[in-house]
Amino acid sequence: MRLHRLWVTAFGPFAGMETVDFDELSTAGLFLFTGPTGAGKTSILDAVCFALYGQVPGARQQGVGRASLRSDHAAEGVAPQVVLEVTLRGRRLRVTRSAAWERPKQRGDGTTTQQARVLVEEAVGDGWTTHTTRLDEAGHLLGGLLGLTVAQFCQVVLLPQGQFAEFLRADADRRRALLETLFDTRRFADVESWLVTRRQVTARDLGELDDQLRQLLARVAEASGEEPPSGLTDRLDDTELAHWLDDLVARSRATETAAGEAAGATAAAAEAAAQALADAERFVGVRRRAAALQTRQTALAAARPARDAAMAELAEARTVAPLLPVLAEAGRLQTELEDARAHASAAHGRLVTVLAATGTTGQAAPSEVSSVGGAATLPALAVVRTASRATAEEAATLALLAEQEAEAAELTRQADELQRTAVELAAKATKAAEWLAGAAERRRVLEAARDAARLASASLPAVEQDRDAAAARLEAALRRDAVRDQLVAAMDERRIVVDRHQAARDALQSLRARRLAGMAAELAAGLLPGADCPVCGSTEHPRPALPGDSVAAAEDEEAAEAAVLQAETARHDGESLVARLDVELAAQRAAAGGDTTVEELETHLDAADQRLADAVAVAARLEAAQGEFVRFGQEAERRERDRVADESEQRSAASRAVDSRSRAERLTAELAAARGDDPSITARRERLQRTASDLDGLVGHLSDIDRLEAAVVSALGRVDEAIQERGLRSVEEVLAAVRDADRLSELEELTRRHDSELAAVTEQLADPDVAVALQAPVPDVDGLRRQATGSAQDRDTATARSHAATARSAALIQRTAEVAATQAARRPLAERHRLVDGLSRLAEGKSSDNALRMSLSAYVLAARLEQVAASASERLLRMSSGRYTLVHSAQGGGGRARGGLTLRVLDAWTGRERDPASLSGGETFSASLALALGLADVVTSEAGGALLETLFVDEGFGSLDDDSLDDVMGVLDDLRDGGRTVGIVSHVADLRQRVPTQLQVDKGRRGSVIRQ
């Protein structure tokens, strides 16, 4: 990485645009950032870090926050921006980055948040090509080229000396925290975590398998009825367990063989006894069946007369069966004839009743049909048919008149509807006229409210400006009074530190005078016999000077010089504070309008707040008042239009109502003559249609009677012919022989069952076994049964014993196989757990094999620290004139403390190792600078980052004496000779004489400026 040019605008202490030309500074290889404290030297390094990573170094990032990166001295509306030209891995890039800030709104007052922005460009030919404007893409691109995280960059490029002095003196835990931020050891920590997890998993799996094995042994004991030998369940991989299981299986198999042989013998005896009993029971059963057959044969012979009677009754019923359909048809026709006569009589009676009730005469009801006295005697079919046709024709002539009657009713309805509409429209028009009469006054009220709100809205900006000015004056007055108090305290403190500085200078002068007075004695104390005098060169020393009572030592003078430097710094800070507070007090007095009291300004602000609230309240009603005025005008126009339209429609409706009513009255008079006594033409037409329908029904009934009378006569003739053909005398004789289906089935079943049962009994009695059973003696069945029962019990007992022995043997064989399989599965798991447990505890530093008690990640950090110490020692040797070397120790601390991250300082003058905390201030600076440079080398190599051609060393040189400063500058010169450019950030006066190439940062009331 090589920096070329930097532009900062409104960033940190820099109000305007400031430029740093690193190419020009790098020509000398070593340059100095100088300037008073607080001028902004470190802010230049912040700008470099912000351009590359979008954030400033960690401690300052937490202190200011990204929203405060914009300079407080910058003009309003100027955006904070950093532009950096840099070469990374041979690619020249230009990074333009702006921090988030609150910018003024483009319209109106107040501010709005402007988000952070970035632009990354690369030099291609004579121009610049844009790579990205996205924050995330820029981070990936620059981070990949740098090869360093922001924490690593801040440690190895900016070299913060205070942190490395702390790192040098820190204990192992605090040193490890910093190293973990620089070196990525997560993969080694992940290995530790993975090993712990695997150890827990294998331990859990092994425990589960051991529990399973113990359960299997418990089942073996349950199946065999024998508990394992004492302590065997705790030695699950012992060979004794296998011997015990083999012995159990062998004994179980012997018991199984003996039980099987006994069960076979008892089964044969039981089978022979059961066969003898079965033969005896079968003989007794045959003899009992033969006796039952003889008894049933006698009963069937006695039932023979009843069977013959049923057979005769069945034959008579079968003879008359063919005549039944003819008789049924004749009966059905006779029934239908009677029903038709009844329906016709009923229809004729209803018709006569209706005609009599309506008083109808003439063509629609001739006397043969409508006579009441003739209701019992049905009229002729031709007469009824003629009357029906005449009635239908009269109803058809009334259809046209019914349509005219409906038209008259519709005209009357329309006239009534139009009359009601005319009345409603007249009422609406009257109501609209009344509303319009008061509209003028309402319009004047709304217009006045709108004008008042418009005036208040127009005056609102001026009122707000007055209120903001009053608030600003009050805030300035509060700040003025606070700054005045701070200024008084600062002036008092300044007097104190000035007195301290003067006293320290006086003490230093006094010490120097006393030391000069005793310098001869100090030189004489170092003279040795025969050695040259450092003053005159003589080897003889006849009268060496003696020390006086008040001789000052060199250490006392150094302490006094440090006290003077500290007092001078405190005095400079105090004077700067007084000057800054004095300027701020003048600015706040001007902003507050002089010495006006806070109470008066608070009163002015309250009055301005009230005026603003009143104006806001009135102005807030402007939109509503304007809208209400516009809506009222639109409502008035609408109501006027509706009034005119309603009056026009009212006149039209009234005229149409008169026309409709006149036409309805004319049609009603014309239809009155045709309606007669009926309430309407439609009612008369419907009545005639019903009468015609009734006459048509009577015609149908009379036609059915004529048809059925002829059919009945024909059916009776067919019945007589069938009776004569079968030799029967009358219908009554036929009906007496008829049987229903249930009786026929009963008769058939009775004869069939008797014949079949008699044949079966006869056949079974002819069986030879039955004949033998009737002659042979009866065997002793009870004795044979007792003998078979005893044999079966003996067989069951022996079989149960055999089955139990077989099941026990099978269970033992299965359980022993499961135990063997589980033992086989346990062996590799136990070996794996032993291996993982050892590795895990070794990686955690808890194993006895790990003598240093170091975890794996700590071991890696210790290796990195050893590399850092070796690299740093090369530079520390030169800085300390060959005296000091940094030594890395891998031994652990006392007690349970872990080892690996201990740093010691080897003093070549004494040959002993020292604690870094015992070094002096200058020695600590040299050691921490060497440590920082060594760490930069190792981190860069570890991260695989770009070559770091530019480094910055921030402060710390004020603690060095002239010789040590020479040594340190020599080391920095070596870095420059190696091709690196080193920038020193310091305000030490001696460095301004040693480093001619400088970047001067001056501070002022309007911000800091850079002079190169």
Side-chain angles (χ1 to χ4, degrees):
M1 180 195 75
R2 184 174 188 84
L3 305 179
H4 298 291
R5 190 179 296 271
L6 174 71
W7 294 268
V8 292
T9 303
F11 184 88
F14 305 109
M17 177 184 289
E18 301 295 333
T19 304
V20 178
D21 190 345
F22 287 106
D23 285 336
E24 183 179 355
L25 295 173
S26 300
T27 54
L30 182 68
F31 58 90
L32 175 68
F33 287 8
T34 184
T37 301
K41 300 183 296 295
T42 304
S43 295
I44 298 175
L45 307 184
D46 292 346
V48 172
C49 184
F50 178 73
L52 294 174
Y53 291 95
Q55 53 184 301
V56 296
R60 294 186 289 280
Q61 175 78 7
Q62 298 174 2
V64 299
R66 292 177 61 181
S68 301
L69 292 178
R70 184 179 183 273
S71 174
D72 295 333
H73 302 282
E76 183 177 3
V78 178
Q81 180 175 276
V82 174
V83 181
L84 175 66
E85 287 187 20
V86 61
T87 296
L88 299 176
R89 298 183 186 269
R91 299 171 62 178
R92 182 153 181 164
L93 303 175
R94 182 169 65 190
V95 183
T96 303
R97 196 183 290 268
S98 297
W101 64 294
E102 296 293 324
R103 65 170 179 80
K105 292 182 177 179
Q106 296 179 354
R107 296 181 180 178
D109 297 331
T111 61
T112 184
T113 301
Q114 177 67 54
Q115 299 300 327
R117 297 178 179 179
V118 68
L119 171 63
V120 180
E121 302 170 286
E122 183 173 4
V124 178
D126 296 333
W128 295 91
T129 299
T130 300
H131 268 298
T132 183
T133 58
R134 290 174 54 93
L135 295 173
D136 53 351
E137 292 179 355
H140 289 310
L141 174 62
L142 297 174
L145 293 174
L146 285 164
L148 300 172
T149 65
V150 62
Q152 293 173 330
F153 180 84
C154 295
Q155 293 287 346
V156 305
V157 176
L158 305 185
L159 301 184
Q161 295 307 301
Q163 292 186 19
F164 280 98
E166 180 183 357
F167 177 77
L168 186 66
R169 299 188 182 100
D171 57 19
D173 292 335
R174 294 170 60 191
R175 189 172 290 127
R176 176 173 182 169
L178 176 60
L179 291 174
E180 285 179 342
T181 63
L182 299 178
F183 300 104
D184 186 7
T185 59
R186 288 177 298 177
R187 60 186 184 277
F188 302 103
D190 291 342
V191 170
E192 296 176 24
S193 176
W194 184 85
L195 287 173
V196 171
T197 302
R198 293 303 303 164
R199 181 184 69 195
Q200 296 170 348
V201 170
T202 55
R204 183 180 67 249
D205 293 344
L206 184 61
E208 292 176 354
L209 203 59
D210 287 346
D211 292 341
Q212 182 180 352
L213 191 56
R214 292 187 181 93
Q215 292 176 2
L216 289 174
L217 290 176
R219 293 178 183 176
V220 169
E222 181 181 0
S224 64
E226 183 178 343
E227 294 295 330
S230 177
L232 188 59
T233 55
D234 297 329
R235 303 190 304 276
L236 298 178
D237 55 352
D238 199 331
T239 57
E240 183 182 351
L241 178 61
H243 297 328
W244 177 68
L245 293 174
D246 293 341
D247 181 62
L248 286 179
V249 172
R251 284 186 284 146
S252 176
R253 285 180 172 173
T255 302
E256 178 187 5
T257 302
E261 293 174 353
T266 57
E271 184 177 359
Q275 184 62 42
L277 176 63
D279 293 342
E281 289 178 343
R282 184 171 58 256
F283 178 84
V284 171
V286 172
R287 184 180 181 86
R288 189 182 299 113
R289 185 165 61 88
L293 288 172
Q294 289 178 338
T295 302
R296 184 57 183 164
Q297 186 179 35
T298 303
L300 289 173
R304 180 72 183 191
R307 178 260 178 198
D308 295 341
M311 193 67 185
E313 183 179 356
L314 181 60
E316 291 179 357
R318 288 174 176 172
T319 301
V320 299
L323 298 177
L324 294 181
V326 180
L327 290 175
E329 177 66 15
R332 183 185 63 78
L333 292 174
Q334 186 66 36
T335 301
E336 289 183 1
L337 177 59
E338 295 301 327
D339 290 342
R341 287 173 177 169
H343 290 325
S345 297
H348 180 242
R350 288 193 302 272
L351 181 60
V352 170
T353 301
V354 171
L355 294 177
T358 58
T360 304
T361 58
Q363 293 180 353
S367 58
E368 293 84 351
V369 178
S370 59
S371 174
V372 177
T377 301
L378 296 175
L381 176 60
V383 174
V384 177
R385 187 175 285 129
T386 301
S388 174
R389 191 163 45 249
T391 303
E393 290 175 357
E394 184 178 356
T397 59
L398 294 175
L400 181 59
L401 295 178
E403 294 177 359
Q404 293 178 352
E405 187 177 45
E407 182 182 359
E410 177 62 23
L411 289 172
T412 301
R413 188 194 63 77
Q414 289 180 358
D416 294 340
E417 183 67 26
L418 289 171
Q419 186 64 33
R420 286 193 298 272
T421 301
V423 173
E424 292 174 356
L425 291 173
K428 287 177 63 178
T430 301
K431 186 176 180 180
E434 292 174 354
W435 188 90
L436 290 171
E441 180 60 28
R442 176 61 177 164
R443 185 190 301 274
R444 285 192 295 273
V445 172
L446 293 176
E447 188 173 9
R450 181 200 63 186
D451 294 342
R454 184 178 295 167
L455 180 60
S457 178
S459 63
L460 187 59
V463 177
E464 289 178 343
Q465 187 175 2
D466 292 342
R467 188 267 172 200
D468 292 341
R473 287 195 298 273
L474 175 60
E475 184 179 358
L478 294 172
R479 180 62 181 165
R480 175 200 64 198
D481 295 347
V483 171
R484 182 184 292 121
D485 296 339
Q486 294 174 8
L487 178 59
V488 171
M491 294 175 68
D492 295 339
E493 181 65 23
R494 182 184 62 180
R495 285 192 293 272
I496 294 173
V497 297
V498 168
D499 293 342
R500 289 176 182 171
H501 180 231
Q502 189 60 43
R505 288 172 61 86
D506 294 343
L508 176 61
Q509 294 297 330
S510 174
L511 279 171
R512 284 177 174 171
R514 286 190 285 122
R515 188 181 180 196
L516 290 174
M519 186 60 67
E522 183 177 344
L523 292 174
L527 295 177
L528 296 175
D532 295 340
C533 176
V535 177
C536 63
S538 173
T539 57
E540 297 180 0
H541 319 296
R543 291 195 307 275
L546 298 177
D549 296 335
S550 59
V551 176
E555 291 80 2
D556 296 335
E557 185 178 2
E558 290 179 358
E561 288 178 350
V564 170
L565 180 60
Q566 183 178 3
E568 182 181 3
T569 301
R571 176 177 180 176
H572 181 272
D573 293 342
E575 290 175 346
S576 298
L577 179 61
V578 169
R580 182 176 61 80
L581 291 176
D582 191 16
V583 172
E584 186 174 358
L585 177 60
Q588 296 300 333
R589 287 185 71 256
D595 293 327
T596 306
T597 64
V598 172
E599 290 75 10
E600 292 175 347
L601 292 174
E602 286 178 345
T603 302
H604 294 162
L605 179 59
D606 292 340
D609 284 336
Q610 185 60 44
R611 289 193 300 273
L612 178 60
D614 295 341
V616 169
V618 176
R621 295 194 294 269
L622 174 59
E623 184 176 355
Q626 288 178 337
E628 188 175 0
F629 181 77
V630 172
R631 286 192 297 274
F632 180 78
Q634 295 172 347
E635 178 69 11
E637 294 177 359
R638 183 186 64 79
R639 287 181 180 258
E640 177 61 24
R641 290 194 303 271
D642 292 346
R643 183 188 65 79
V644 173
D646 290 343
E647 289 179 350
S648 176
E649 291 181 7
Q650 184 270 335
R651 290 191 296 270
S652 175
S655 175
R656 285 186 285 128
V658 172
D659 293 341
S660 296
R661 196 173 301 281
S662 175
R663 291 175 56 198
E665 291 174 352
R666 185 173 64 255
L667 285 174
T668 301
E670 293 176 356
L671 295 172
R675 187 169 58 246
D677 296 333
D678 291 315
S680 65
I681 296 297
T682 302
R684 181 177 180 82
R685 178 171 174 267
E686 291 175 352
R687 181 177 61 77
L688 291 175
Q689 288 176 339
R690 288 194 299 272
T691 301
S693 177
D694 292 341
L695 288 171
D696 289 340
L698 183 56
V699 168
H701 292 315
L702 293 176
S703 299
D704 290 341
I705 290 173
D706 291 346
R707 178 179 56 78
L708 290 173
E709 285 177 346
V712 167
V713 171
S714 175
L716 291 176
R718 290 195 301 274
V719 169
D720 291 340
E721 292 177 359
I723 290 174
Q724 293 176 3
E725 287 177 358
R726 283 165 176 76
L728 300 176
R729 291 184 295 274
S730 65
V731 175
E732 289 74 11
E733 186 179 356
V734 173
L735 295 176
V738 172
R739 297 292 183 271
D740 58 15
D742 293 339
R743 180 57 181 168
L744 291 174
S745 299
E746 181 182 351
L747 293 173
E748 290 175 350
E749 177 64 20
L750 189 150
T751 56
R752 184 195 61 76
R753 185 172 61 250
H754 182 275
D755 294 344
S756 62
E757 189 173 355
L758 180 60
V761 169
T762 302
E763 181 181 1
Q764 293 179 28
L765 286 174
D767 188 358
D769 291 339
V770 174
V772 172
L774 290 174
Q775 302 297 326
V778 179
D780 183 9
V781 177
D782 293 337
L784 293 173
R785 182 177 292 111
R786 286 193 297 272
Q787 183 179 357
T789 301
S791 298
Q793 290 177 350
D794 294 341
R795 179 201 61 198
D796 293 343
T797 301
T799 302
R801 290 174 179 172
S802 176
H803 288 169
T806 302
R808 183 181 301 109
S809 179
L812 281 174
I813 293 173
Q814 180 181 357
R815 296 293 181 264
T816 53
E818 292 176 353
V819 170
T822 306
Q823 282 183 314
R826 184 185 182 279
R827 293 187 190 98
L829 183 59
E831 178 62 22
R832 188 182 307 116
H833 173 66
R834 185 191 64 76
L835 178 62
V836 172
D837 182 68
L839 288 175
S840 173
R841 298 186 184 280
L842 182 66
E844 287 185 291
K846 298 179 180 179
S847 172
S848 59
D849 296 335
N850 190 336
L852 298 178
R853 297 191 299 276
M854 293 172 60
S855 65
L856 178 61
S857 57
Y859 179 80
V860 174
L861 290 178
R864 296 291 182 266
L865 184 60
E866 185 176 11
Q867 295 173 349
V868 171
S871 178
S873 294
E874 296 178 3
R875 297 183 174 92
L876 182 58
L877 278 171
R878 180 169 179 180
M879 293 182 189
S880 61
S881 299
R883 180 178 181 181
Y884 294 119
T885 304
L886 286 176
V887 179
H888 164 255
S889 173
Q891 297 300 320
R896 299 175 59 87
R898 305 289 178 89
L901 299 179
T902 302
L903 276 179
R904 305 286 292 176
V905 177
L906 177 62
D907 190 343
W909 291 5
T910 63
R912 295 186 178 183
E913 293 183 0
R914 298 170 51 183
D915 191 312
S918 65
L919 297 176
S920 66
E923 292 171 341
T924 298
F925 169 77
S926 299
S928 61
L929 178 59
L931 189 64
L933 294 173
L935 189 61
D937 293 340
V938 175
V939 169
T940 304
S941 175
E942 169 70 14
L947 177 63
L948 302 179
E949 300 179 49
T950 306
L951 296 178
F952 298 96
V953 182
D954 190 357
E955 292 297 348
F957 292 90
S959 61
L960 300 176
D961 56 27
D962 292 342
D963 293 337
S964 297
L965 185 58
D966 287 338
D967 293 336
V968 169
M969 295 303 295
V971 171
L972 296 180
D973 282 339
D974 290 343
L975 293 176
R976 178 179 60 180
D977 295 340
R980 293 184 179 181
T981 299
V982 181
I984 300 174
V985 181
S986 179
H987 52 68
V988 175
D990 194 20
L991 285 175
R992 290 198 293 270
Q993 304 298 325
R994 292 173 176 265
V995 182
T997 303
Q998 300 176 8
L999 192 74
Q1000 178 72 34
V1001 184
D1002 296 326
K1003 64 180 181 180
R1005 295 182 179 180
R1006 297 185 178 181
S1008 298
V1009 294
I1010 297 175
R1011 290 187 295 106
Q1012 185 165 326

